[in-house]
Amino acid sequence: MIANIVSAILLFLGLCGMIGSLTWIIRRGNQNRLTRLFLSCQISIVLWLISELLILFSYTKQQYWISYIIGNFGISCFGPLWLMLSAEYTNTSAVVKKLTRLLPLISIFAIFVVITNPLHYLYYSVFEAGSAEYGPLFYTFQVIYYTCIITGISIICLKHTKRSDQMTKQSILLILSAAIPLGINTLSLTGILKSKATLTPLFFGISSLLIIIALGRYGLLNINNLAIRDTINNINSGVVIFDINGNISYKNKYAGNISFLSGIHNIAQLVKTLNDVTAEEISPDFSSTEIKFENDFYNLKQSYCENKNGNTVARIITINNVTEYHELAHAEKKLSLEQERNRIAQEMHDSAGHTFTMISSLAKLLKFEVEQGKQDTLKIMENISEIDGLSRSGVTQLRCTINNLRDDEFMTSVVRAVKTVTTAVRGVDIDLCIQGEEDERYGFCIKEMYDNCRETVTNALRYSDATRIDIILKFLEERIEMYILDNGKGCNDISEHNGLRGIRERTEALGGTVRFSSVKGEGFNTIIKIPIKEVEI
């Protein structure tokens, strides 16, 4: 009698614990497959506890039969459901998950065998009021149920072993919630643990307490934790978490496939590997570093996780494969070099090439005149003077091109661009006067002002026989102006060929104006005015 009372109390406590965990799951859980499987497992245990409680207060064979049917319904469902839960919790492969969907067939067949027992007596060889002896099918199904439970526990353990993770607290509690009642029940059935009171319900109560801790304290079945886990596990970046002792506590799927992380279990081993790969001394507290391993480049960044008291409890290292960026940078550099080559070739062709062709033509003309015995000294002097002007302008153009190669920053301002031209001139006095202050509003016309200035100075050196060139730059509120004045021989009629036409087209394309003026014997003047675009500063 006392044993029955103790058993009833233990059963009641276990039942209360299971109902409590069920309530917690319904209130705090989420509508997903993992939660539904967990609820099903808990309900199956509740049915078994209810049946045990009913058995204590049963007197007739029919009452016993109903109580045993309820209990067997819960027992036959728990093993397969636990294995399905373990597969879902560890996020096993799709093939394994599909196979586990067949497990409910075991429960259905077991329930059918129990219900039809009066016809074959293979599950209970003897069944009377207050007495039941087990048949061969009972032990067969018990082996199947235990196999399911042990397999589920093994799957959870193997999950962490394969990924070199430490067991998480929620995984440990989940395993214990199934392993403790399983062990006690095994000891009771084999007779190793003898007690007049049924002890298994008490340990199911302890199991329910562990589940409540896993649910409330460690976020078991929390959709946020599941979503974060799945997201981190599937991103194309490696994530490795080290605990306070420097040991790896988590490694996502991507990190598991990074070759240089193979065999690494703590931060010291990782730093040693990085030092070996880079042949440099990398501090364990590095914030960011980049390494080349085999044919790939990896960027590693380290951050720290702190608790509410500000104490560091974990360090997180993210690893990204940046090989693609290096390849793009290399391709971009190659393209830039190709573009620069083409630009120089085009510039040499358009300026220096044209100049040297003209020099060559004049030289051939002079040679022809000498061979023909023509002694037109005035004509020869004019040709020599033109060759001199062309050669000087060619040298200036070459110097401008070389300066462009040496100084990549000359295009950062109008003043720098114009100075690039003036510093390349030799044999002619050139003076640059700047009025006003340049700011970013004038940046839109740097290239055009450079080209216009270079073309005008080249023309002066080539055709005007000038000994002095004055350049005035005016930075006004509404526009920018450039005056280029030389003291050359000038002309009465101005013909706009390729050079002057290019100056006009470039200027007018920006909404500006150009005026060329000259009087024979009084030099050549070029005035360029370009309005400022609407630019906020």
Side-chain angles (χ1 to χ4, degrees), residues 356-392:
F356 295 140
T357 300
M358 291 292 294
I359 292 173
S360 178
S361 298
L362 288 170
K364 288 179 181 177
L365 182 60
L366 284 172
K367 181 181 178 182
F368 175 77
E369 290 178 350
V370 171
E371 288 175 350
Q372 294 298 318
K374 296 179 180 180
Q375 301 298 324
D376 188 347
T377 305
L378 182 60
K379 183 66 175 176
I380 291 175
M381 290 302 295
E382 287 180 355
N383 289 336
I384 291 174
S385 179
E386 188 168 356
I387 289 173
D388 179 59
L390 286 169
S391 63
R392 283 191 294 159

Side-chain angles (χ1 to χ4, degrees), residues 155-430:
I155 288 174
I156 297 174
C157 293
L158 286 173
K159 164 199 170 185
H160 298 280
T161 303
K162 286 181 178 179
R163 299 179 184 177
S164 301
D165 294 343
Q166 290 185 347
M167 293 286 283
T168 62
K169 291 183 176 64
Q170 60 174 232
S171 296
I172 293 172
L173 291 172
L174 189 61
I175 290 171
L176 290 176
S177 69
I180 290 175
L182 175 68
I184 296 300
N185 194 47
T186 302
L187 294 174
S188 298
L189 287 175
T190 55
I192 297 174
L193 181 63
K194 296 181 180 180
S195 175
K196 294 182 179 180
T198 306
L199 296 177
T200 305
L202 173 63
F203 287 94
F204 269 120
I206 296 173
S207 160
S208 65
L209 180 62
L210 296 176
I211 291 171
I212 289 175
I213 294 172
L215 290 168
R217 180 68 178 84
Y218 300 111
L220 180 65
L221 304 183
N222 187 304
I223 191 63
N224 294 332
N225 291 341
L226 295 175
I228 292 171
R229 180 200 69 184
D230 291 343
T231 300
I232 294 177
N233 202 40
N234 293 313
I235 60 175
N236 291 325
S237 297
V239 178
V240 184
I241 300 176
F242 296 85
D243 63 19
I244 193 171
N245 298 315
N247 298 315
I248 290 180
S249 62
Y250 175 80
K251 185 195 299 182
N252 73 342
K253 188 185 297 182
Y254 188 93
N257 295 326
I258 297 177
S259 51
F260 71 82
L261 290 178
S262 177
I264 290 178
H265 302 290
N266 55 57
I267 190 66
Q269 293 175 341
L270 175 61
V271 172
K272 183 179 183 303
T273 300
L274 296 180
N275 290 336
D276 293 340
V277 171
T278 61
E280 297 177 0
E281 190 69 26
I282 297 178
S283 170
D285 297 322
F286 69 91
S287 58
S288 180
T289 188
E290 189 170 297
I291 67 169
K292 182 181 181 182
F293 185 78
E294 296 177 346
N295 295 322
D296 292 324
F297 292 87
Y298 295 93
N299 179 265
L300 290 80
K301 292 184 178 179
Q302 183 171 207
S303 59
Y304 297 90
C305 182
E306 298 180 347
N307 59 18
K308 294 180 180 179
N309 297 325
N311 299 320
T312 299
V313 294
R315 64 173 76 197
I316 304 165
I317 294 180
T318 56
I319 307 168
N320 292 288
N321 189 320
V322 294
T323 306
E324 182 180 354
Y325 298 105
H326 281 266
E327 291 174 350
L328 288 173
H330 178 72
E332 185 178 356
K333 182 178 180 181
K334 186 176 180 181
L335 179 61
S336 298
L337 288 173
E338 186 66 28
Q339 290 174 339
E340 185 65 9
R341 246 186 237 112
N342 293 336
R343 185 190 69 79
I344 295 170
Q346 185 66 42
E347 191 168 325
M348 295 292 290
H349 177 272
D350 292 345
S351 57
H354 172 71
T355 301
F356 295 140
T357 300
M358 291 292 294
I359 292 173
S360 178
S361 298
L362 288 170
K364 288 179 181 177
L365 182 60
L366 284 172
K367 181 181 178 182
F368 175 77
E369 290 178 350
V370 171
E371 288 175 350
Q372 294 298 318
K374 296 179 180 180
Q375 301 298 324
D376 188 347
T377 305
L378 182 60
K379 183 66 175 176
I380 291 175
M381 290 302 295
E382 287 180 355
N383 289 336
I384 291 174
S385 179
E386 188 168 356
I387 289 173
D388 179 59
L390 286 169
S391 63
R392 283 191 294 159
S393 68
V395 170
T396 298
Q397 290 165 6
L398 282 174
R399 283 174 177 158
C400 287
T401 301
I402 293 169
N403 285 340
N404 293 353
L405 295 176
R406 289 176 178 171
D407 186 5
D408 293 334
E409 296 184 353
F410 83 100
M411 282 295 182
T412 57
S413 71
V414 175
V415 172
R416 285 193 178 189
V418 173
K419 281 184 176 180
T420 301
V421 177
T422 60
T423 55
V425 176
R426 297 292 185 274
V428 175
D429 291 334
I430 189 165

Side-chain angles (χ1 to χ4, degrees), residues 15-29 38-47 208 211-212 215:
L15 189 59
C16 288
M18 283 297 160
I19 292 175
S21 63
L22 274 174
T23 304
W24 186 284
I25 295 170
I26 294 171
R27 289 182 60 241
R28 301 292 295 275
F38 199 86
L39 276 170
S40 301
C41 286
Q42 296 296 94
I43 291 171
S44 64
I45 295 173
V46 168
L47 289 175
S208 65
I211 291 171
I212 289 175
L215 290 168

Side-chain angles (χ1 to χ4, degrees), residues 480-505:
I480 180 174
E481 297 179 355
M482 181 164 63
Y483 300 79
I484 303 176
L485 317 170
D486 67 61
N487 65 349
K489 60 187 178 181
C491 60
N492 290 325
D493 297 320
I494 299 175
S495 298
E496 294 189 13
H497 297 296
N498 290 339
L500 298 184
R501 189 183 304 119
I503 294 173
R504 186 175 296 280
E505 289 175 354

